[in-house]
Amino acid sequence: MKYLFASLFFVIELMCATAFAHKPSDSYLTITGGEEYLTIEWDIALKDLEFLIGLDENQNGEITWGEVKARRKAVTAHALSRLQISHRGYDCQLKLLDVLATRHSDGGYVVLSLSTDCPGDAAELTIHYNLLFDVDPTHRGLVHYTNGEIDSTYVLSPESPLLELKTGEVNRWNSFVAYVEEGIWHIWIGYDHILFLLTLLIPAVLIRRDHQWQPVESFRPAWTSVLKIVTMFTIAHSLTLWLAVMEYVTLPGWIVEAAIAFSIIVTALNNLFPVLHLSGWAIAFGFGLIHGFGFANVLIDLGLSSVSLGIALLGFNVGVELGQLAIVAVFLPLAYLMRSTTFYRWAILRCGSILVAVIAAIWMYERIFNATIVGL
């Protein structure tokens, strides 16, 4: 039994760790062929550049365009030291053309516009990318190659920092697999989605009788409840993920993120004071619609063509579901075995729900007011 307690304590540790987690980051590397020479646009988040080399000269918490321009040489030197592109053994000479600014779903980005001396019709390219891997293992480099006819995407990670790109081929299977892996990774490091799912699952091994939580008598009702919750959450977030990525529905990022935090607060409080009179699967469906918009950001920011976007969307969604099932496979047996203990009903259900509600309330405040309380 002590191993079960230790395992469930791990869940609580995960909840606590989220309060101090470093938010993962992406950079967007767009390589364009088809002309005489390759050209590159590289979007790097301001927050990452601040972390790497420092941009906020007066330390007032706001990065101005003037501060970015003042650090232009340092930004360029650092970035180019972390990117190598070669063609048939020759290292392409990357030269800065301009520094621009843009916004992605998670904030402001610097855009490095680069020229190269490698031919625009190069059939093979080797890309070695290492912007942040040595200091942030959650970082990803999202590569988009296009030449007007071919359009393909790839994901670079600390485990796979090297890409052998055959520009005339579109390996859709490799792109699909890459986005399956990215979907799994996204749900595992998306602490708010994990907390929402766990908060929904905690009461699944209990039943409410006479205003008291009682353990279910067999595994079947617990499993059925979990199956309904996961299925409804999947249907709901898949629907809005598709709507958002296809740009049929567009919502401001901060509203989506704040609403996700709100959904966690309501779900946690409903574990303590069941006033919604809704089944877990109904709550999962309703709030799952909001979480789908949150999943969409990483794909929207790539700016892919319809075919590449379809592959990325399918792969990413499959990955999210696999990651979700892995969490359920670990949590449900432990919760079922401990459902009759006082520890489960008090430490996990009650104290865990209070802790989740507090963390989510901090997230919500930070996301609405763009504030930092404990560096969430």
Side-chain angles (χ1 to χ4, degrees), residues 40 72-73 75-77 79-80 93-100 110-116:
I40 297 170
R72 171 182 170 132
K73 287 185 178 179
V75 169
T76 306
L80 295 187
Q93 299 301 307
L94 308 182
K95 182 178 179 181
L96 181 69
L97 293 176
D98 203 355
V99 177
L100 306 169
V110 167
V111 182
L112 299 182
S113 179
L114 305 171
S115 67
T116 79

Side-chain angles (χ1 to χ4, degrees), residues 31-33 38 84-88 90 92 118-128 145 163-167:
I31 302 173
T32 303
L38 294 172
Q84 290 180 315
I85 298 179
S86 58
H87 168 56
R88 295 180 177 175
Y90 172 75
C92 304
C118 279
D121 60 353
E124 296 179 357
L125 294 172
T126 300
I127 301 168
H128 191 195
Y145 173 82
L163 172 63
E164 299 285 351
L165 174 61
K166 296 185 184 302
T167 61

Side-chain angles (χ1 to χ4, degrees), residues 11-307:
V11 175
I12 296 175
E13 287 290 330
L14 169 65
M15 295 173 178
C16 296
T18 63
F20 301 97
H22 173 65
K23 189 176 180 181
S25 70
D26 300 314
S27 87
Y28 303 87
L29 190 66
T30 301
I31 302 173
T32 303
E35 302 295 334
E36 184 177 2
Y37 297 104
L38 294 172
T39 58
I40 297 170
E41 285 199 349
W42 190 3
D43 299 8
I44 305 174
L46 287 174
K47 63 184 179 184
D48 289 336
L49 290 172
E50 168 66 10
F51 176 73
L52 288 169
I53 61 173
L55 297 177
D56 189 8
E57 185 178 3
N58 57 10
Q59 296 296 304
N60 67 348
E62 296 180 358
I63 299 173
T64 66
W65 181 238
E67 288 172 324
V68 172
K69 289 197 295 185
R71 298 285 285 161
R72 171 182 170 132
K73 287 185 178 179
V75 169
T76 306
H78 186 86
L80 295 187
S81 70
R82 301 304 181 100
L83 176 66
Q84 290 180 315
I85 298 179
S86 58
H87 168 56
R88 295 180 177 175
Y90 172 75
D91 289 338
C92 304
Q93 299 301 307
L94 308 182
K95 182 178 179 181
L96 181 69
L97 293 176
D98 203 355
V99 177
L100 306 169
T102 190
R103 288 194 68 82
H104 287 266
S105 58
D106 59 344
Y109 279 65
V110 167
V111 182
L112 299 182
S113 179
L114 305 171
S115 67
T116 79
D117 59 351
C118 279
D121 60 353
E124 296 179 357
L125 294 172
T126 300
I127 301 168
H128 191 195
Y129 172 97
N130 183 26
L131 179 64
L132 269 165
F133 294 154
D134 52 344
V135 293
D136 183 359
T138 68
H139 178 72
R140 293 292 184 269
L142 303 178
V143 179
H144 177 201
Y145 173 82
T146 180
N147 65 8
E149 298 178 354
I150 302 294
D151 197 70
S152 55
T153 62
Y154 307 88
V155 181
L156 299 177
S157 65
E159 295 76 27
S160 301
L162 188 67
L163 172 63
E164 299 285 351
L165 174 61
K166 296 185 184 302
T167 61
E169 300 177 4
V170 178
N171 193 325
R172 303 202 187 285
W173 174 249
N174 284 350
S175 294
F176 175 77
V177 171
Y179 277 96
V180 169
E181 295 174 350
E182 190 63 15
I184 295 172
W185 179 251
H186 189 79
I187 191 78
W188 285 356
I189 64 172
Y191 299 126
D192 44 6
H193 304 301
I194 293 178
L195 279 192
F196 176 71
L197 186 61
L198 290 176
T199 307
L200 276 173
L201 294 180
I202 286 173
V205 295
L206 304 172
I207 188 169
R208 190 84 174 167
R209 290 196 184 108
D210 299 327
H211 306 292
Q212 297 290 327
W213 288 109
Q214 303 291 330
V216 293
E217 296 177 355
S218 67
F219 186 73
R220 184 172 181 177
W223 165 244
T224 302
S225 176
V226 168
L227 182 62
K228 289 180 180 177
I229 289 171
V230 172
T231 301
M232 289 298 107
F233 185 56
T234 297
I235 292 173
H237 74 64
S238 297
L239 176 63
T240 46
L241 172 62
W242 175 73
L243 289 173
V245 169
M246 300 306 292
E247 298 183 344
Y248 294 131
V249 179
T250 303
L251 296 176
W254 73 269
I255 291 179
V256 172
E257 296 301 320
I260 288 173
F262 178 73
S263 73
I264 300 170
I265 296 172
V266 172
T267 306
L269 292 180
N270 196 56
N271 287 350
L272 300 169
F273 312 103
V275 295
L276 288 182
H277 303 298
L278 294 172
S279 300
W281 64 264
I283 298 173
F285 183 83
F287 286 140
L289 294 171
I290 299 171
H291 284 248
F293 287 106
F295 289 139
N297 290 336
V298 66
L299 299 180
I300 293 173
D301 289 338
L302 278 173
L304 301 175
S305 68
S306 57
V307 175

Side-chain angles (χ1 to χ4, degrees), residues 195 258 260-262 264-265 355-365:
L195 279 192
I260 288 173
F262 178 73
I264 300 170
I265 296 172
L355 183 59
V356 168
V358 170
I359 292 172
I362 295 172
W363 275 336
M364 187 172 169
Y365 178 86

